[in-house]
Amino acid sequence: MGIKTGADYINRIKSRKPEVWLGGRVIEDIHNEPIFKQPIQEIAKLYDIQHDPEYQDDITHICNETGERVNNAFLFPKTAEDLQKRSKLFEVYARMTYGLMGRTPDFLNVVITSMAHNSWFLDQYNKDWSKNIHDYYTYIRDNDLFLTHAIINPQNDRSKQSHEQKEIYTHLGTVEEKEEGILVRGAKMLATLAPITDEVIIYSFPGFLPGDERHAVAFALPIDTPGLRIICREPMQDGTRSIFDHPLASRYEEMDALLVFNDVLVPWDRVFLYNNVEAANRLYPMTGIAEQPAHQSGVRGYIKLAFAVEVACKVADSIGVDGFLHVQRDLGELVQSVEVIRSLLRVAEYEYAINEYGEARPNPDALETIRGFLPEMYPRAIEIIQTIGAGGLLMSPTEADFNNPELRVDIDKYYGGRSGVTAEERVRVFKLAWDLCGEAFGQRLLQYERYYTGDPVRKRAIYYNKYKKNKNKNVSMVDEVLNNPKHVAIDVVNQ
Ligand SMILES: Cc1cc2nc3c(=O)[nH]c(=O)nc-3n(C[C@H](O)[C@H](O)[C@H](O)COP(=O)(O)OP(=O)(O)OC[C@H]3O[C@@H](n4cnc5c(N)ncnc54)[C@H](O)[C@@H]3O)c2cc1C
Ligand SMILES: O=C(O)Cc1ccc(O)c(O)c1
């Protein structure tokens, strides 16, 4: 067992019956639901290219343990070469989806790999937990499964801890221990792509306090486990819009969902952490599940930013405005922002460190800096597309208009771009741009970039506080220039 095909993935979707709610109804046939059809095809492509000689060596390897070919997301990174192999996988998957799908299978498969690789951490608390994550890693690696995750509590009252919410099981928590496992109840968000995945893993960002014990759990389950209800947000498209009119929104929408656990049984062998506030708070910082997937996020974000920047340049060129100085200034800024992220990724990959457990981790400062700046650079790219495209972004005729011969003459005349750019060429670029910068689809992509890795405000504050702590340990240049006699300047004024 090892790499699977797109058809294998689609067959798994067909055989599962998760309880998915969308627009007030239960979706009986996920595979044939128009809203999910195209995204399923996009994920299937990622499975298929594992078998394509053009990509295979870049994104898969032979597993030492089984001798089977498996995806590079399952590699325990021990060397710089391993990090490069992973980076190549992230880049190939991101290029296939233009960085617009954030939670392709590589993301969570890297999370699971990282947890399993660092199972020494769980060992300190409970040997069963570390065995469970190892077995789970082997299971998803060998069956090449696709996961979603939900690590945030629903936004009820953020001024209170989980155990202080109005009702005790608003945030997901353990109800009781059973012979077969633990019974869990309550909700967790925001599970991207949940309806079209195989499994879900639950863990949490740190933030538990004493009293939150019942909420301090981590586990994984099949997505169609009885009692697990998936409530989808309103779709950004209806699944019937044409690729001509919505070249991106018609293909790359990632559904997001709230997960409600109605007394769901988690078998003991799927429990990775339970009833332990300290372990739950340390899981994220200690098991590499911040840095390793942040490498994926960084590469994917780089491709998405580069794509948006190319769209901005094409919009400007197609209507002949890129000769104006202020437009060149804005486009130059965007091209440089792509270079900043590309350079940070190189630092992350080349200035890696091997920890005492033999795991290679990309440079965390470079990754954290990407996390800090992408949520500013990507919205800026979108804003620049909006200001360069201006009114024209709203004025594109539809595919049906193009197909009507009575209108076509006017369309060809009045919708053409600068010399050499036909009406169809210009309109197609503008429709692409509108999907990114105007449509609800594009607004979600923006929101994703701001929040996929947590609240950017608190992330920056945490980073600053870490810097301050380390800075105090090192020699301060300011103290040195003021106090070190070797560096004190001769006081020429008073001499
Ligand atoms: C499109 C999209 C897809 C996502 N996909 C996933 C996914 O697949 N899986 C997953 O688990 N998560 C996913 N996330 C969720 C993501 O992890 C959260 O959005 C993120 O952690 C922020 O949490 P929140 O949205 O609950 O915002 P909140 O934490 O509620 O923040 C709301 C506002 O209040 C402020 N605030 C709240 N609490 C505090 C505090 N204690 N101190 C100071 N300020 C505070 C914040 O600064 C912010 O301005 C996704 C998010 C988006 C937007
Ligand atoms: O922080 C990152 O950039 C990567 C990331 C995002 C969301 C997660 O759930 C996670 O474990 C890691």
Side-chain angles (χ1 to χ4, degrees), residues 103 107 111 149 151 203 284 289-290 293-294 297 371 452-453 459:
R103 297 290 155 86
F107 181 85
V111 170
H149 77 323
I151 59 174
Y203 57 93
Y284 186 74
I289 59 173
S297 310
R371 278 158 154 176
Y452 75 87
T453 175
K459 288 255 165 190

Side-chain angles (χ1 to χ4, degrees), residues 149-165 167-174 185-191 202-209 212-219 257-261 280-281 454 458:
H149 77 323
I151 59 174
I152 301 294
N153 295 310
Q155 263 177 337
N156 308 108
D157 185 345
R158 285 281 189 256
S159 69
K160 293 190 164 64
Q161 288 298 117
S162 290
H163 75 275
E164 297 167 333
Q165 299 294 319
E167 284 185 35
I168 187 165
Y169 292 109
T170 306
H171 295 176
L172 177 80
T174 310
R185 186 185 301 164
K188 212 74 183 167
M189 73 177 206
L190 183 160
I202 301 293
Y203 57 93
S204 296
F205 278 151
F208 295 103
L209 290 179
D212 287 328
E213 285 73 13
R214 75 176 74 242
H215 304 282
V217 284
F219 59 83
L258 181 86
L259 303 183
V260 180
F261 294 78
N281 281 336
R458 276 171 284 164

Side-chain angles (χ1 to χ4, degrees), residues 54-315:
E54 189 183 336
Y55 298 102
Q56 189 169 74
D57 287 341
D58 282 340
I59 64 175
T60 65
H61 66 281
I62 302 298
C63 174
N64 285 338
E65 215 180 302
T66 63
E68 302 284 352
R69 188 172 283 283
V70 299
N71 191 277
N72 282 354
F74 299 115
L75 196 64
F76 279 176
K78 294 194 165 72
T79 61
E81 290 71 41
D82 291 342
L83 289 177
Q84 289 298 327
K85 281 185 191 164
R86 263 196 178 177
S87 181
K88 195 70 204 163
L89 162 74
F90 300 151
E91 188 178 335
V92 168
Y93 274 18
R95 280 196 189 276
M96 291 293 286
T97 48
Y98 306 98
L100 306 180
M101 296 183 92
R103 297 290 155 86
T104 45
D106 48 335
F107 181 85
L108 279 157
N109 291 346
V110 163
V111 170
I112 303 298
T113 303
S114 195
M115 269 192 208
H117 202 171
N118 291 286
S119 60
W120 58 266
F121 167 77
L122 292 171
D123 246 353
Q124 316 165 55
Y125 295 98
N126 187 323
K127 295 220 178 305
D128 287 343
W129 297 348
S130 72
K131 178 183 180 317
N132 292 347
I133 190 67
H134 247 286
D135 291 349
Y136 187 63
Y137 158 77
T138 307
Y139 171 69
I140 60 157
R141 178 194 66 195
D142 296 344
N143 291 284
D144 205 7
L145 297 183
F146 178 25
L147 274 68
T148 187
H149 77 323
I151 59 174
I152 301 294
N153 295 310
Q155 263 177 337
N156 308 108
D157 185 345
R158 285 281 189 256
S159 69
K160 293 190 164 64
Q161 288 298 117
S162 290
H163 75 275
E164 297 167 333
Q165 299 294 319
K166 212 158 40 190
E167 284 185 35
I168 187 165
Y169 292 109
T170 306
H171 295 176
L172 177 80
T174 310
V175 181
E176 59 175 318
E177 277 188 25
K178 297 253 193 203
E179 209 185 313
E180 318 89 287
I182 54 174
L183 207 64
V184 295
R185 186 185 301 164
K188 212 74 183 167
M189 73 177 206
L190 183 160
T192 295
L193 286 173
I196 63 168
T197 54
D198 298 303
E199 296 259 327
V200 56
I201 178 163
I202 301 293
Y203 57 93
S204 296
F205 278 151
F208 295 103
L209 290 179
D212 287 328
E213 285 73 13
R214 75 176 74 242
H215 304 282
V217 284
F219 59 83
L221 287 169
I223 200 72
D224 58 350
T225 299
L228 171 54
R229 171 174 282 186
I230 300 168
I231 307 178
C232 298
R233 63 158 165 75
E234 186 177 0
M236 307 301 188
Q237 45 102 18
D238 64 5
T240 62
R241 299 160 101 193
S242 80
I243 288 189
F244 182 93
D245 285 331
H246 295 283
L248 305 178
S250 65
R251 280 189 270 184
Y252 301 111
E253 174 159 6
E254 289 187 302
M255 177 50 75
D256 306 295
L258 181 86
L259 303 183
V260 180
F261 294 78
N262 288 313
D263 289 356
V264 173
L265 181 77
V266 183
W268 285 118
D269 65 355
R270 288 299 191 91
V271 175
F272 309 136
L273 195 155
Y274 159 59
N275 193 27
N276 191 317
V277 161
E278 183 195 288
N281 281 336
R282 295 178 73 220
L283 184 79
Y284 186 74
M286 297 305 287
T287 58
I289 59 173
E291 289 101 320
Q292 300 292 11
H295 188 193
Q296 188 267 10
S297 310
V299 175
R300 185 214 39 86
Y302 160 64
I303 301 289
K304 180 168 165 182
L305 183 66
F307 179 63
V309 170
E310 198 184 320
V311 172
C313 294
K314 286 250 192 238
V315 166

